[in-house]
Amino acid sequence: MADPNAANRQAGARFSAARPLRRRLGGRITRLDRVPAGTMVELPGRGRTYLVDIPGPAGAPTLILLHGMVTTAMLNWFPALEELSRAYRVVLFDQRWHGHGIRSPRFDLDDLAEDVIAVADLVGAERPILAGYSMGGIVAQLVAHRFPERVGGIVLCATTYRFRETLRERAFHAGMDAFGRLTSGTASRRVASTGEHLPGLPQISWETGRLDRWARSEMRSVSSWGMARAIAELGAFDSSSWLGALKVPAAVVITTRDRALPVHRQLEMAKLIPGAEIFLARAGHAACVLEADVFVPALLDACASVAARL
C-alpha cells in the first residue's frame, strides 16, 4: 500500500510556519502556530486529492475529517487540529470539486462516500471515526449507511438529514435542481478549469498577519459554478428512511445559532439516530472557523463520546 506521507518525510516536511492563532478551549489557551503539511495522493481508480495525515499518539483511533461546502479540508478544520491530534490520528482530505480534490465530470454524493472508503484503505484505517461538518456530515451519514462494517463511529456537526421540508425550501431546491441540470456541462468544465490553475500543492506557508489572505486563496480553489451543482445534489438528500437503522456509535454537535440549517432539524436528526449523544455549540453555521473557541470544545467532547463506545 502506498504511504501518503512518504514524499513529505523524504523532503523533510514538518509543520509549516503560520500566523499564531490563540483560542480559549475548555478554559485553557491553545496556541496554533503551525500547519501540518500534506501531499497529493492517488485514490486507485478514482483520482488525485490533497491529504494530510497527522499521526497522533501511538495506538490512537483514526479520525477522518470531512469538510463542508465552499471550503477545503484545511480551512474547515485547522482550528481543531492541534487539540484533536492529542488523542487521535487525524486524517483530512479535500473532497470532490473542492480545493485540490478530485475533478470529476460529475458531483455525486455516492462518489464522495466511496472516496472516504478509498482514503481509509489508503491510510490503513479499518474502522475510522468519521467527523463531518455540514456537507461532510451528510457524507458521513451516507458512508455509515452504505459501509457500516467500515465505520467505527460518526460525529455529525452543523448538519442535517434532509433539506426539502417547507414550501420555501422545496421551491428553492427545485429551482437549483433545474438550474443544475441545465448547466451541468458548464459546471464540470469550470471545475476542471479551476483545478488546472491551482498550484501543485496548497500554499500553506502563511504570511505573518495575513491569515485572511490564505483563507481567500483556499476559497478561490472552489468553483462557484461547481457549488451550484453541488447544492442541487445536496438538496435531494434525505436520510430519514434509513437513519434510524444506523448501528454505529454517534454524536451530534448542534450549532444552536445556525441560520443556514435549522436547529430543530439538527435535533430531529440526532433523535433519529439510535443512541446518538447531543452536544451544543452556541454558535452559527461557520462556527468551525469563526467561532472555534465555542465549537472546538463541543467537537472534542463529541469525538471522545464516540471513541469511548468503539
Side-chain angles (χ1 to χ4, degrees):
M1 179 185 68
D3 182 349
N5 284 318
N8 282 349
R9 285 197 295 270
Q10 291 169 2
R14 298 182 182 87
F15 284 171
S16 302
R19 176 191 180 211
L21 177 68
R22 297 185 180 214
R23 298 290 188 193
R24 180 172 296 278
L25 302 177
R28 62 190 182 280
I29 294 293
T30 292
R31 181 183 177 91
L32 178 68
D33 59 3
R34 298 184 183 277
V35 178
T39 188
M40 296 299 294
V41 298
E42 184 76 30
L43 302 183
R46 310 191 67 76
R48 288 170 56 80
T49 189
Y50 180 71
L51 182 143
V52 177
D53 188 347
I54 308 172
T62 298
L63 179 66
I64 296 182
L65 303 177
L66 305 173
H67 63 79
M69 183 180 288
V70 198
T71 183
T72 65
M74 189 59 68
L75 184 57
N76 193 130
W77 294 108
F78 80 89
L81 295 181
E82 183 169 328
E83 293 290 331
L84 288 172
S85 65
R86 294 176 181 177
Y88 308 95
R89 176 194 185 187
V90 181
V91 175
L92 57 159
F93 69 100
D94 287 346
Q95 298 187 82
R96 287 177 184 251
W97 288 27
H98 292 76
H100 281 68
I102 295 171
R103 301 284 163 167
S104 53
R106 65 175 188 173
F107 183 90
D108 183 271
L109 288 175
D110 284 333
D111 288 338
L112 270 69
E114 292 165 8
D115 291 341
V116 176
I117 298 302
V119 166
D121 288 341
L122 185 71
V123 302
E126 184 177 354
R127 291 178 60 88
I129 299 170
L130 307 181
Y133 198 95
S134 191
M135 179 189 76
I138 289 168
V139 176
Q141 291 175 58
L142 197 53
V143 178
H145 170 58
R146 293 188 55 200
F147 307 99
E149 73 286 352
R150 294 299 311 276
V151 177
I154 55 175
V155 178
L156 308 179
C157 309
T159 192
T160 187
Y161 69 106
R162 63 179 178 179
F163 291 89
R164 304 189 186 196
E165 188 171 272
T166 68
L167 180 62
R168 182 176 181 178
E169 289 171 339
R170 289 195 294 270
F172 171 78
H173 286 290
M176 290 302 298
D177 185 54
F179 177 77
R181 282 187 276 106
L182 286 172
T183 61
S184 60
T186 300
S188 61
R189 288 193 297 272
R190 292 295 182 90
V191 167
S193 177
T194 301
E196 290 169 359
H197 290 86
L198 293 177
L201 286 171
Q203 303 301 301
I204 61 173
S205 182
W206 302 335
E207 178 184 347
T208 301
R210 295 314 305 263
L211 179 61
D212 57 336
R213 179 178 297 175
W214 169 76
R216 285 197 298 271
S217 72
E218 288 288 280
M219 294 185 71
R220 282 196 296 270
S221 69
V222 181
S223 164
S224 58
W225 280 88
M227 292 308 94
R229 184 71 196 95
I231 290 172
E233 176 71 14
L234 284 172
F237 178 80
D238 187 337
S239 60
S240 58
S241 64
W242 48 260
L243 203 56
L246 295 185
K247 296 181 179 179
V248 298
V252 176
V253 178
I254 297 176
T255 40
T256 63
R257 296 178 177 174
D258 201 317
R259 295 187 177 183
L261 297 177
V263 175
H264 75 271
R265 205 167 299 158
Q266 297 184 51
L267 180 59
E268 289 171 358
M269 177 189 68
K271 293 172 71 174
L272 283 172
I273 304 172
E277 295 192 5
I278 296 173
F279 299 84
L280 304 180
R282 292 173 58 85
H285 194 65
C288 54
V289 174
L290 299 185
E291 298 174 277
D293 53 338
V294 175
F295 170 71
V296 174
L299 172 67
L300 295 174
D301 288 344
C303 291
S305 165
V306 171
R309 289 177 278 154
L310 292 180

